[in-house]
């Protein structure tokens, strides 16, 4: 679908009863598409005050905000740096209902040109394209909680940022107390989860995905990739070339586990009602915690406690994953490591 048409055309798929939402919204898919277009492409940023609750927490690995007003400010800052930014909905996978709250997992390809100052410095004039997944809880016409993952490492590279210098500067800056408290709280929560192997459900695809994540990450049964993925599956993982085939996928898991050998995972939400209806899709929000005690893609071990907030969309056929879009903010992971390395 073309994002330019979101505000005038109904969404694909069916997103459930919308009691408590404005009558213009046909379903939760339509709601997410329309408000995203209005805020970003339409530049009606002040509508965030209508569509986000006054106390809405927004969790990202780069920081924590709370309330609609902070969402407005952050959106204005982003558009000041990238005024032509567009957000194309590759898919929306959802769960829940109007009473308890809809969960929407919005897979986005976002394109932009750096025409103003940003967190990375002065405008570069360079264009970039990255993937984003936004997981929102929506109730009574508002987003009341959001988890947001962006491939910021790819963005920084495309803008020509010196990554080592940037993360060192980031590490030297004071850590926002709210963000630091959230990181510590989440690290403690995830680190306390058991490593027990999970049984695979034959007919429940959501449960099968969740079991695979626990078995691979927490139980270290990387060979279970053969249970989860089709042999020629493709994984689009943040800041990397596509991983083609289950052997390459196993290699990716082993690379991350080699750097965080005590890693544990929690699968925090799974859903499977999709905007696209040509096959089965599942979305999962997951959190990984462990200690940077091994060599790997992030340099020599620092002993840093690492937290990774991740989200994945899976395209499945006959109970196996044939394609995955896996997004996490690796630049923020590098900043966590830099803080440990520089004693911050």
């Amino acid at each position: 679908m073309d994002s330019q048409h979101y505000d005038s055309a109904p969404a694909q798929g069916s997103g459930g009863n919308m009691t408590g939402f404005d009558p213009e919204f046909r379903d939760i898919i339509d709601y997410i598409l329309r408000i995203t277009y209005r805020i970003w492409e339409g530049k009606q940023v002040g509508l965030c005050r209508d569509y986000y609750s006054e106390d809405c927490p927004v969790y990202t690995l780069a920081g924590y905000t709370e309330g609609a007003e902070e969402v407005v400010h952050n959106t204005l800052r982003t558009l000041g740096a990238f005024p032509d930014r567009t957000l194309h909905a590759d898919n929306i996978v959802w769960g829940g209902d109007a009473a308890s709250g809809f969960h929407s997992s919005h897979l986005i390809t976002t394109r932009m040109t750096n025409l103003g100052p940003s967190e990375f410095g002065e405008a570069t004039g360079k264009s970039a394209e990255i993937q984003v997944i936004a997981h929102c809880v929506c109730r009574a016409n508002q987003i009341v909680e959001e988890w947001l993952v962006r491939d910021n490492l790819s963005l920084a590279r495309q803008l020509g940022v010196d990554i080592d210098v940037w993360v060192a500067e980031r590490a030297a800056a004071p850590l926002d107390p709210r963000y630091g408290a959230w990181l510590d709280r989440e690290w403690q929560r995830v680190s306390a989860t058991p490593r027990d192997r999970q049984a695979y459900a034959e007919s429940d695809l959501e449960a099968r995905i969740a079991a695979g994540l626990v078995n691979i990450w927490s139980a270290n049964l990387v060979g279970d990739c053969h249970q989860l993925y089709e042999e020629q599956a493709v994984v689009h993982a943040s800041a990397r070339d596509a991983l083609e085939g289950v052997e390459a996928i196993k290699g990716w898991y082993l690379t991350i586990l080699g750097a965080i050998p005590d890693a544990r995972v929690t699968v925090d939400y799974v859903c499977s009602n999709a905007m696209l209806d040509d096959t089965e899709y599942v979305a999962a929000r997951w959190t990984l915690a462990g200690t940077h005690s091994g060599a790997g893609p992030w340099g020599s071990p620092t002993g840093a406690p690492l937290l990774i907030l991740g989200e994945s969309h899976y395209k499945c056929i006959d109970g196996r994953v044939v394609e995955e879009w896996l997004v996490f903010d690796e630049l923020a992971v590098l900043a966590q490591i830099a803080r440990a390395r520089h004693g911050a």
Side-chain angles (χ1 to χ4, degrees):
M1 294 179 67
D2 185 345
S3 61
Q4 281 77 3
H5 297 273
Y6 290 166
D7 208 33
S8 59
Q12 297 181 28
S14 176
N17 179 282
M18 295 295 284
T19 301
F21 288 77
D22 286 349
E24 67 168 310
F25 300 118
R26 191 188 74 178
D27 54 30
I28 190 60
I29 298 170
D30 193 34
Y31 173 83
I32 292 296
L33 291 177
R34 288 184 191 275
I35 71 169
T36 300
Y37 176 83
R38 289 169 183 172
I39 292 167
W40 289 97
E41 282 92 342
K43 307 296 189 289
Q44 300 289 73
V45 179
L47 290 178
C48 291
R49 298 185 183 99
D50 297 330
Y51 295 133
Y52 282 80
S53 66
E54 291 185 359
D55 59 351
C56 175
V58 179
Y59 311 99
T60 80
L61 208 57
Y64 170 91
T65 64
E66 192 169 292
E69 202 61 36
E70 288 196 72
V71 175
V72 170
H73 295 173
N74 283 343
T75 305
L76 288 171
R77 280 191 282 263
T78 300
L79 285 173
F82 306 97
D84 64 346
R85 187 181 181 197
T86 59
L87 286 77
H88 182 272
D90 299 321
N91 203 358
I92 295 173
V93 185
W94 65 275
D97 54 41
S100 62
F102 286 109
H103 287 250
S104 69
S105 183
H106 189 183
L107 174 63
I108 298 163
T109 296
T110 180
R111 301 177 179 91
M112 68 204 91
T113 310
N114 184 206
L115 300 175
S118 74
E119 62 181 312
F120 299 115
E122 294 301 312
T124 64
K126 295 183 178 181
S127 296
E129 176 181 312
I130 65 169
Q131 286 198 307
V132 177
I133 300 180
H135 180 136
C136 296
V137 181
C138 309
R139 189 183 306 115
N141 212 57
Q142 289 188 316
I143 296 169
V144 298
E145 199 165 14
E146 181 174 11
W147 293 262
L148 182 63
V149 292
R150 296 189 182 103
D151 186 1
N152 283 327
L153 183 55
S154 286
L155 175 59
R157 286 172 174 167
Q158 290 173 69
L159 297 182
V161 173
D162 186 318
I163 304 299
D164 291 338
V165 170
W166 189 88
V167 297
E169 291 174 350
R170 185 83 167 187
L175 193 66
D176 177 75
R178 297 179 307 175
Y179 172 56
W182 173 71
L183 281 177
D184 183 64
R185 187 167 62 248
E186 283 293 277
W187 193 91
Q188 297 292 341
R189 176 182 72 87
V190 178
S191 296
T193 59
R195 297 190 181 277
D196 300 343
R197 184 174 189 172
Q198 303 294 305
Y200 288 100
E202 289 300 323
S203 57
D204 187 336
L205 190 52
E206 293 180 14
R208 187 175 182 82
I209 294 289
L213 286 170
V214 169
N215 290 343
I216 293 168
W217 286 121
S218 292
N220 305 143
L221 300 171
V222 180
D224 273 21
C225 284
H226 292 282
Q227 297 278 353
L228 190 63
Y229 297 94
E230 190 270 332
E231 287 299 312
Q232 299 305 315
V234 176
V235 174
H236 310 278
S238 288
R240 289 165 175 79
D241 294 334
L243 306 167
E244 299 183 358
V246 73
E247 293 301 323
I249 296 167
K250 286 192 297 184
W252 181 82
Y253 279 108
L254 287 168
T255 296
I256 303 300
L257 284 168
I260 321 173
D262 63 346
R264 300 189 190 210
V265 75
T266 57
V267 182
D268 301 310
Y269 195 84
V270 187
C271 53
S272 57
N273 304 295
M275 180 180 86
L276 304 179
D277 57 8
D278 59 332
T279 189
E280 295 179 295
Y281 289 90
V282 175
R285 176 170 56 80
W286 46 272
T287 311
L288 194 73
T291 309
H292 182 221
S293 59
W298 306 318
S300 58
T302 59
L306 295 185
L307 186 80
I308 297 177
L309 175 61
E311 301 186 31
S312 294
H313 276 219
Y314 304 90
K315 178 179 180 179
C316 304
I317 296 176
D318 296 331
R320 297 289 182 91
V321 177
V322 297
E323 195 166 10
E324 177 184 358
W325 294 264
L326 185 160
V327 184
F328 71 100
D329 186 351
E330 195 165 357
L331 190 64
V333 174
L334 291 172
Q336 292 178 43
I337 292 169
R339 288 188 200 102
R341 188 164 279 132
H342 295 279

